[in-house]
Amino acid sequence: MGDGPLAYVMALLQPGKPFANVVGWGDNFRSADLGGYEAYRRRFPEIEQIPTFRGSAVGAIDAELAIALAPDVVILNLSSRAAAESSGLMNHLAQAGIAVVFVDFRTSMFGNTERSIQIVGELLGRTDRADAFLQFRQTQIERVTLPLTQVQSRPSVMIERAAGLYDDCCLSYGDGNFGELVAVAGGLNLGTRFLHGTFGTLHPEQVIESDPDVVLVTGANWSLYSPAGDWVNLGPGADLAEGQARLHRLINRPAFQSLRAVKRGRVYAIWHPFYDNPYYFIALQRVAKWLHPELFAALDPDATFRELHARFLPVPYQPGYWLSLDGVSA
């Protein structure tokens, strides 16, 4: 697996022994999501023995090492295809008789997740389980999309990607990924106005002038990236009081101090790995409830996530995936 977070797909489709046939993966499962990695390491300590590729970029995958591991197939993110071709990785793997499969949970979350799950299900011989998950996923998505067909007013949302991990403000999303998720959740993504493509950077003056109704930041356990950073630690079992304190420090930056979202307490943080994960519909429910609290008063994304774990995943559910400026579950 060229990208470590694909571990979440394996756990979904073959929970008994999710990583038994994984012969190598990107080390960014651990480095970019230490809380999630530790939850699975406790249940499956043998994952520490799986050979890793540094980083998440295709350029970090050493073709010689990949071939030496003798996989039947290499799974890569669709966004890595151009790099895989230009780096020569595809050619080396083809010469060695190793198939390459592309999946996408990142560039077009809503458009490509279904087929991607089906593909991996076919590879693993778990098509029935893939179908069961996709039915559950669709039901949970419709709990948001169907009520929103009657909504006329949509709040503007500024998303800051990996807030506090870098010194600069503000990494964000265009019309893909979390930008797409916010749109489906009933919001107007600020990045769509200014950015071309899925990812980009908003200038602080653009944020201040736009004065969004809602601010949404993403966070995770990035202690291996930036031990002293003000990133919001989110994930299974995260200390939400500490995360809330970090979120309060983040809104004191110049780009945020004057925003009405800050003054009205409409600032939220959510687990960053939802951005590359088939479980993103959980984030969809949580964001929709923040954007339209009255419409979704009865929706309980925490209960949805618990059900997902109980029905499909081999590790117990632990809260810690989101918080708000003024209250953990608001």
Side-chain angles (χ1 to χ4, degrees):
M1 300 192 301
D3 202 29
L6 290 169
Y8 287 111
V9 183
M10 305 298 284
L12 176 74
L13 294 177
Q14 48 182 29
K17 295 183 177 180
F19 315 117
N21 52 349
V22 176
V23 297
W25 59 12
D27 72 353
N28 57 326
F29 182 23
R30 179 173 178 269
S31 59
D33 178 23
L34 185 59
Y37 179 86
E38 287 297 321
Y40 276 90
R41 186 193 61 80
R42 286 191 292 271
R43 176 69 176 82
F44 303 101
E46 62 272 18
I47 68 174
E48 291 191 316
Q49 308 306 316
I50 298 175
T52 59
F53 307 105
R54 288 196 175 189
S56 60
V58 165
I61 299 177
D62 182 272
E64 185 175 343
L65 174 58
I67 293 169
L69 293 172
D72 296 304
V73 63
V74 172
I75 305 176
L76 299 176
N77 283 322
L78 183 62
S79 58
S80 301
R81 181 168 184 170
E85 291 174 343
S86 62
S87 69
L89 177 64
M90 293 279 286
N91 185 52
H92 288 305
L93 294 175
Q95 290 178 349
I98 298 172
V100 178
V101 168
F102 291 95
V103 296
D104 180 37
F105 305 103
R106 175 185 298 180
T107 304
S108 180
M109 298 172 120
F110 291 84
N112 291 334
T113 290
E114 180 176 357
R115 184 61 189 132
S116 296
I117 289 291
Q118 289 171 343
I119 288 170
V120 182
E122 291 164 8
L123 288 173
L124 300 176
R126 300 296 179 111
T127 55
D128 289 349
R129 190 168 183 84
D131 290 344
F133 167 74
L134 290 172
Q135 290 173 7
F136 177 74
R137 164 188 169 272
Q138 187 60 32
T139 297
Q140 300 307 325
I141 290 174
E142 290 176 355
R143 294 178 70 191
V144 171
T145 56
L146 294 180
L148 281 172
T149 58
Q150 307 302 317
V151 169
Q152 302 298 321
S153 177
R154 292 173 175 252
S156 58
V157 183
M158 182 271 176
I159 316 166
E160 185 175 7
R161 179 186 179 203
L165 183 59
Y166 308 97
D167 293 335
D168 296 336
C169 174
C170 305
L171 295 178
S172 193
Y173 301 88
D175 58 3
N177 201 268
F178 257 103
E180 180 185 15
L181 187 144
V182 162
V184 177
L188 299 173
N189 173 38
L190 183 61
T192 302
R193 286 174 49 193
F194 298 106
L195 304 177
H196 301 287
T198 303
F199 306 103
T201 302
L202 294 171
H203 192 281
E205 291 183 2
Q206 292 174 322
V207 177
I208 294 170
E209 183 179 354
S210 301
D211 196 16
D213 299 305
V214 174
V215 169
L216 177 67
V217 308
T218 68
N221 187 337
W222 288 317
S223 55
L224 298 180
Y225 280 160
S226 175
D230 264 338
W231 39 268
V232 181
N233 182 6
L234 294 172
D239 184 338
L240 295 182
E242 177 192 2
Q244 196 172 33
R246 292 189 179 195
L247 186 58
H248 274 272
R249 290 198 291 271
L250 287 172
I251 64 169
N252 284 323
R253 293 173 297 167
F256 290 82
Q257 291 177 348
S258 65
L259 300 183
R260 60 181 158 185
V262 172
K263 295 175 181 177
R264 297 174 182 176
R266 299 193 74 184
V267 180
Y268 310 101
I270 197 160
W271 190 50
H272 181 78
F274 278 130
Y275 96 114
D276 190 14
N277 189 309
Y279 317 157
Y280 67 86
F281 58 88
I282 305 292
L284 174 69
Q285 291 190 355
R286 179 63 271 183
V287 173
K289 192 175 177 74
W290 280 328
L291 300 186
H292 301 279
E294 295 183 359
L295 180 64
F296 294 110
L299 185 62
D300 187 348
D302 187 78
T304 304
F305 214 179
R306 288 182 183 277
E307 184 179 356
L308 175 68
H309 279 73
R311 289 183 58 184
F312 294 100
L313 300 177
V315 296
Y317 177 64
Q318 301 177 75
Y321 291 89
W322 50 72
L323 57 83
S324 69
L325 188 64
D326 297 323
V328 167
S329 60

